Amino acid sequence: MITVGVLGANGRMGSEACAAVEGAEDLELVARVDVRGTERSGADAEVTDDREVLRGADVVVDFTHPSAVADNLRWCVDAGLHVVVGTSGVGEDLLDDVRGRLQPGQAVLVVPNFGIGAVLMMRFAAQAARFYDSVEVVELHHPRKADAPSGTATRTAQMIAAARAEAGLGPGPDATTHDPDGARGATVDGIPVHAVRMAGLVAHQEVLLGSEGETLTIRHDSLHRSSFMPGVLLACRKVAEHPGLTVGLDGLLGLD
């Protein structure tokens, strides 16, 4: 039996993760932590704001906030826990810091997206990007999302950029010289990324690729947060088998 603690247990993803772990026969939920823990009552009375309860878990899953993830991750690593991070905001500086803190045999898995289809979408996009002149990423999320671009879009752009660099491709064609309002969006490793925040959406992303006379669109849609739970459970079960720092579910799915 693998024991699991959840950080951000009262949030949308955190509460879904708690329910998924409780429903798995081989996992046991032993700790729920949230900054709002002491304000809850009734069914949520077991939620606490004290991270010390996480020491009783084999694996901690973080679904908190970009502003909190760095402190939470460092605390969990220093406590010797295996960690699965589903929160955006884990940049290269934090990853380097975590690598230096890890104890022998300890594992940290940073997951930009737990959707199996989303993982495949990123892989397909990186493969296709070598064959097209232009590529741009559009991510669409609910308006309560705190960060932009999403972690999935950032990871997708990084994978695309690496694949294009390996193929010897330069930047895509773009004659824009005047964009005072930032209409062309952000760039991640030279790849244009656009973020949409709209009521009615959950989590969606499309990669647009084009060359003369042809376009290709690769799109993934998560219509409910339950779509992420198979990936969350997989991460809880397999993280300890991958010591060190790992980004993405690819290795756990046998895609590496």
Coordinates of all heavy atoms in Angstrom, one line a residue, residues 23-74:
G23 N -10.3 6.3 -3.9 CA -11.0 5.2 -4.6 C -10.1 4.2 -5.2 O -10.5 3.2 -5.8
A24 N -8.8 4.3 -5.0 CA -7.8 3.3 -5.5 C -7.5 2.3 -4.4 O -7.1 2.7 -3.3 CB -6.5 4.0 -5.9
E25 N -7.5 1.0 -4.8 CA -7.3 0.0 -3.8 C -5.9 -0.1 -3.3 O -5.6 -0.6 -2.2 CB -7.8 -1.4 -4.4 CG -9.3 -1.5 -4.6 CD -9.7 -2.8 -5.2 OE1 -8.8 -3.7 -5.4 OE2 -10.9 -3.1 -5.3
D26 N -4.9 0.3 -4.1 CA -3.5 0.2 -3.7 C -2.9 1.4 -3.2 O -1.7 1.5 -2.9 CB -2.7 -0.3 -5.0 CG -2.8 0.7 -6.1 OD1 -3.8 1.4 -6.2 OD2 -1.9 0.7 -7.0
L27 N -3.7 2.5 -3.0 CA -3.3 3.8 -2.4 C -4.1 4.1 -1.2 O -5.3 3.8 -1.1 CB -3.4 4.9 -3.5 CG -2.7 4.7 -4.8 CD1 -3.0 5.9 -5.7 CD2 -1.2 4.6 -4.6
E28 N -3.4 4.8 -0.3 CA -4.1 5.3 0.9 C -3.9 6.7 1.2 O -2.7 7.2 1.2 CB -3.7 4.5 2.2 CG -4.4 4.9 3.4 CD -3.9 4.2 4.7 OE1 -2.9 3.4 4.5 OE2 -4.4 4.4 5.8
L29 N -4.9 7.5 1.3 CA -4.8 9.0 1.5 C -4.6 9.2 3.0 O -5.5 8.9 3.8 CB -6.0 9.7 1.0 CG -6.0 11.2 1.2 CD1 -4.9 11.8 0.3 CD2 -7.4 11.8 0.8
V30 N -3.4 9.7 3.4 CA -3.1 9.8 4.9 C -3.0 11.2 5.3 O -2.9 11.5 6.5 CB -1.8 9.0 5.2 CG1 -2.0 7.5 5.0 CG2 -0.6 9.6 4.4
A31 N -3.0 12.2 4.4 CA -2.9 13.6 4.8 C -3.5 14.5 3.7 O -3.2 14.3 2.5 CB -1.4 14.0 5.0
R32 N -4.2 15.5 4.2 CA -4.8 16.5 3.3 C -4.3 17.9 3.9 O -4.6 18.2 5.1 CB -6.3 16.5 3.3 CG -7.0 15.2 2.9 CD -8.5 15.4 2.9 NE -9.2 14.1 2.8 CZ -10.2 13.9 2.0 NH1 -10.6 14.9 1.2 NH2 -10.8 12.7 1.9
V33 N -3.6 18.7 3.1 CA -3.1 19.9 3.6 C -3.6 21.1 2.7 O -3.5 20.9 1.4 CB -1.6 19.9 3.7 CG1 -1.0 21.2 4.1 CG2 -1.1 18.8 4.6
D34 N -4.0 22.1 3.3 CA -4.4 23.3 2.5 C -4.3 24.5 3.4 O -4.5 24.4 4.6 CB -5.8 23.2 2.0 CG -6.2 24.1 0.9 OD1 -6.3 25.4 1.2 OD2 -6.3 23.7 -0.3
V35 N -3.9 25.7 2.9 CA -3.8 26.9 3.7 C -5.2 27.3 4.3 O -5.2 28.0 5.3 CB -3.3 28.1 2.9 CG1 -1.8 27.8 2.5 CG2 -4.1 28.3 1.6
R36 N -6.3 26.8 3.7 CA -7.6 27.1 4.2 C -8.1 26.0 5.1 O -9.3 25.9 5.5 CB -8.6 27.3 3.1 CG -8.2 28.4 2.1 CD -9.0 28.3 0.8 NE -8.5 27.2 0.1 CZ -9.1 26.7 -1.1 NH1 -10.2 27.3 -1.5 NH2 -8.7 25.7 -1.7
G37 N -7.2 25.1 5.5 CA -7.6 23.9 6.3 C -8.4 24.2 7.6 O -9.4 23.6 7.9
T38 N -7.9 25.2 8.3 CA -8.5 25.5 9.6 C -9.8 26.2 9.5 O -10.6 26.3 10.5 CB -7.6 26.4 10.5 OG1 -7.2 27.6 9.7 CG2 -6.3 25.6 10.8
E39 N -10.2 26.6 8.3 CA -11.4 27.3 8.1 C -12.5 26.3 7.7 O -13.7 26.7 7.6 CB -11.3 28.4 6.9 CG -10.3 29.4 7.2 CD -10.1 30.4 6.1 OE1 -10.8 30.2 5.1 OE2 -9.2 31.2 6.1
R40 N -12.2 25.1 7.4 CA -13.1 24.1 6.9 C -13.8 23.4 8.1 O -13.2 23.2 9.2 CB -12.5 23.1 6.0 CG -11.9 23.8 4.7 CD -13.1 24.4 3.9 NE -12.6 25.1 2.8 CZ -12.9 24.9 1.5 NH1 -13.7 23.8 1.2 NH2 -12.5 25.6 0.5
S41 N -14.9 22.8 7.9 CA -15.6 22.1 9.0 C -16.4 21.0 8.3 O -16.5 20.9 7.1 CB -16.5 23.0 9.8 OG -17.5 23.6 9.0
G42 N -17.0 20.2 9.1 CA -17.9 19.1 8.6 C -17.1 18.1 7.8 O -16.1 17.5 8.3
A43 N -17.4 17.8 6.5 CA -16.8 16.8 5.8 C -15.3 17.1 5.5 O -14.5 16.1 5.3 CB -17.5 16.7 4.4
D44 N -14.9 18.3 5.6 CA -13.5 18.7 5.3 C -12.7 18.9 6.6 O -11.6 19.5 6.6 CB -13.4 19.9 4.5 CG -13.9 19.7 3.0 OD1 -13.8 18.5 2.6 OD2 -14.4 20.6 2.5
A45 N -13.2 18.5 7.8 CA -12.6 18.8 9.0 C -11.2 18.1 9.1 O -10.3 18.6 9.9 CB -13.4 18.2 10.2
E46 N -10.9 17.1 8.4 CA -9.6 16.4 8.4 C -8.5 17.2 7.7 O -7.4 16.9 7.8 CB -9.7 15.0 7.9 CG -9.8 14.9 6.3 CD -11.3 15.0 5.9 OE1 -12.1 15.4 6.7 OE2 -11.6 14.5 4.8
V47 N -8.9 18.3 7.0 CA -7.9 19.1 6.2 C -7.2 20.0 7.2 O -7.8 20.6 8.1 CB -8.6 19.9 5.1 CG1 -7.5 20.8 4.4 CG2 -9.3 19.0 4.2
T48 N -5.9 20.0 7.1 CA -5.1 20.9 8.0 C -4.2 21.8 7.2 O -3.9 21.5 6.1 CB -4.2 20.0 9.0 OG1 -3.4 20.8 9.8 CG2 -3.3 19.0 8.2
D49 N -3.7 22.9 7.9 CA -2.7 23.7 7.2 C -1.3 23.5 7.7 O -0.4 24.2 7.4 CB -3.1 25.2 7.4 CG -3.1 25.6 8.9 OD1 -2.8 24.7 9.8 OD2 -3.5 26.7 9.2
D50 N -1.1 22.4 8.4 CA 0.2 22.0 9.0 C 0.8 20.9 8.1 O 0.4 19.8 8.0 CB 0.0 21.5 10.4 CG 1.4 21.2 11.1 OD1 2.4 21.4 10.4 OD2 1.3 20.8 12.3
R51 N 1.9 21.3 7.4 CA 2.6 20.3 6.5 C 3.2 19.2 7.2 O 3.6 18.2 6.6 CB 3.7 21.1 5.7 CG 3.1 22.0 4.7 CD 4.2 22.6 3.8 NE 5.2 23.4 4.6 CZ 5.9 24.4 4.1 NH1 5.8 24.7 2.8 NH2 6.8 25.1 4.8
E52 N 3.4 19.2 8.6 CA 4.0 18.2 9.3 C 3.3 16.8 9.1 O 3.9 15.8 9.2 CB 4.1 18.5 10.8 CG 5.1 19.6 11.1 CD 6.6 19.1 10.8 OE1 6.9 18.0 11.1 OE2 7.3 20.0 10.3
V53 N 2.0 16.8 8.9 CA 1.3 15.6 8.7 C 1.7 14.8 7.4 O 1.5 13.6 7.3 CB -0.3 15.8 8.7 CG1 -0.7 16.4 10.0 CG2 -0.7 16.7 7.5
L54 N 2.4 15.5 6.5 CA 2.8 14.9 5.3 C 4.0 13.9 5.5 O 4.2 13.1 4.7 CB 3.3 16.0 4.3 CG 2.2 16.9 3.8 CD1 2.8 18.1 3.0 CD2 1.1 16.2 2.9
R55 N 4.6 14.0 6.7 CA 5.8 13.2 6.9 C 5.3 11.7 7.0 O 6.1 10.8 6.9 CB 6.5 13.6 8.2 CG 7.1 15.0 8.1 CD 7.9 15.3 9.4 NE 8.4 16.6 9.4 CZ 9.6 17.0 8.8 NH1 10.4 16.1 8.3 NH2 10.0 18.2 8.9
G56 N 4.0 11.5 7.2 CA 3.6 10.1 7.3 C 3.2 9.5 5.9 O 2.7 8.4 5.8
A57 N 3.5 10.2 4.8 CA 3.2 9.8 3.5 C 4.4 9.3 2.8 O 5.5 9.7 3.0 CB 2.5 10.9 2.7
D58 N 4.2 8.3 1.9 CA 5.3 7.9 1.0 C 5.5 8.9 -0.2 O 6.6 9.2 -0.6 CB 5.0 6.5 0.4 CG 4.8 5.4 1.4 OD1 5.7 5.4 2.4 OD2 3.9 4.6 1.3
V59 N 4.4 9.4 -0.6 CA 4.3 10.4 -1.8 C 3.5 11.6 -1.5 O 2.4 11.4 -0.9 CB 3.8 9.7 -3.1 CG1 3.8 10.6 -4.2 CG2 4.6 8.4 -3.4
V60 N 4.0 12.7 -1.8 CA 3.2 14.0 -1.7 C 2.8 14.5 -3.0 O 3.7 14.6 -3.9 CB 3.9 15.0 -0.8 CG1 3.1 16.3 -0.8 CG2 4.1 14.5 0.6
V61 N 1.6 14.8 -3.3 CA 1.1 15.4 -4.5 C 0.8 16.9 -4.3 O 0.1 17.2 -3.4 CB -0.1 14.7 -5.1 CG1 -0.5 15.3 -6.4 CG2 0.2 13.2 -5.3
D62 N 1.4 17.8 -5.1 CA 1.2 19.2 -4.9 C 0.3 19.8 -6.0 O 0.7 19.8 -7.2 CB 2.6 20.0 -4.9 CG 2.4 21.4 -4.6 OD1 1.7 22.1 -5.4 OD2 3.0 21.9 -3.6
F63 N -0.9 20.2 -5.6 CA -1.8 21.0 -6.4 C -2.1 22.3 -5.7 O -3.3 22.5 -5.3 CB -3.1 20.2 -6.7 CG -2.9 19.1 -7.7 CD1 -3.1 17.8 -7.4 CD2 -2.5 19.4 -9.0 CE1 -3.0 16.8 -8.4 CE2 -2.4 18.4 -10.0 CZ -2.7 17.1 -9.7
T64 N -1.1 23.2 -5.6 CA -1.4 24.4 -4.8 C -1.5 25.6 -5.7 O -2.5 25.8 -6.4 CB -0.3 24.6 -3.8 OG1 1.0 24.6 -4.4 CG2 -0.4 23.5 -2.7
H65 N -0.5 26.4 -5.8 CA -0.5 27.7 -6.5 C 0.9 28.0 -6.9 O 1.9 27.7 -6.2 CB -1.1 28.8 -5.6 CG -1.3 30.1 -6.3 ND1 -0.4 31.1 -6.5 CD2 -2.5 30.6 -6.8 CE1 -0.9 32.1 -7.1 NE2 -2.2 31.8 -7.3
P66 N 1.1 28.7 -8.1 CA 2.5 29.0 -8.5 C 3.3 29.8 -7.5 O 4.5 29.7 -7.4 CB 2.2 29.8 -9.8 CG 0.9 29.3 -10.3 CD 0.1 29.0 -9.1
S67 N 2.6 30.6 -6.6 CA 3.3 31.4 -5.6 C 3.8 30.5 -4.4 O 4.6 31.0 -3.6 CB 2.4 32.5 -5.1 OG 1.2 32.0 -4.5
A68 N 3.2 29.3 -4.3 CA 3.5 28.5 -3.1 C 4.3 27.3 -3.5 O 4.9 26.6 -2.6 CB 2.2 28.0 -2.5
V69 N 4.4 26.9 -4.7 CA 4.9 25.6 -5.1 C 6.4 25.5 -4.7 O 6.9 24.4 -4.3 CB 4.7 25.3 -6.6 CG1 5.4 26.3 -7.5 CG2 5.1 23.9 -6.9
A70 N 7.2 26.6 -4.9 CA 8.6 26.5 -4.6 C 8.9 26.1 -3.1 O 9.7 25.2 -2.8 CB 9.3 27.8 -5.0
D71 N 8.2 26.8 -2.2 CA 8.4 26.6 -0.8 C 7.9 25.2 -0.4 O 8.6 24.5 0.3 CB 7.6 27.6 0.0 CG 7.8 27.4 1.5 OD1 9.0 27.4 2.0 OD2 6.8 27.3 2.2
N72 N 6.8 24.8 -1.0 CA 6.3 23.4 -0.7 C 7.2 22.3 -1.2 O 7.5 21.3 -0.5 CB 4.9 23.2 -1.3 CG 3.8 23.9 -0.6 OD1 3.9 24.1 0.6 ND2 2.8 24.4 -1.4
L73 N 7.7 22.5 -2.4 CA 8.6 21.5 -3.0 C 9.9 21.4 -2.2 O 10.4 20.3 -1.9 CB 8.9 21.9 -4.4 CG 9.8 20.9 -5.2 CD1 9.3 19.5 -5.1 CD2 9.9 21.3 -6.7
R74 N 10.5 22.5 -1.8 CA 11.7 22.5 -1.0 C 11.5 21.8 0.3 O 12.3 21.0 0.8 CB 12.3 23.9 -0.8 CG 12.8 24.5 -2.1 CD 13.5 25.8 -1.8 NE 14.0 26.5 -3.0 CZ 13.4 27.5 -3.5 NH1 12.3 28.1 -3.0 NH2 13.9 28.1 -4.6

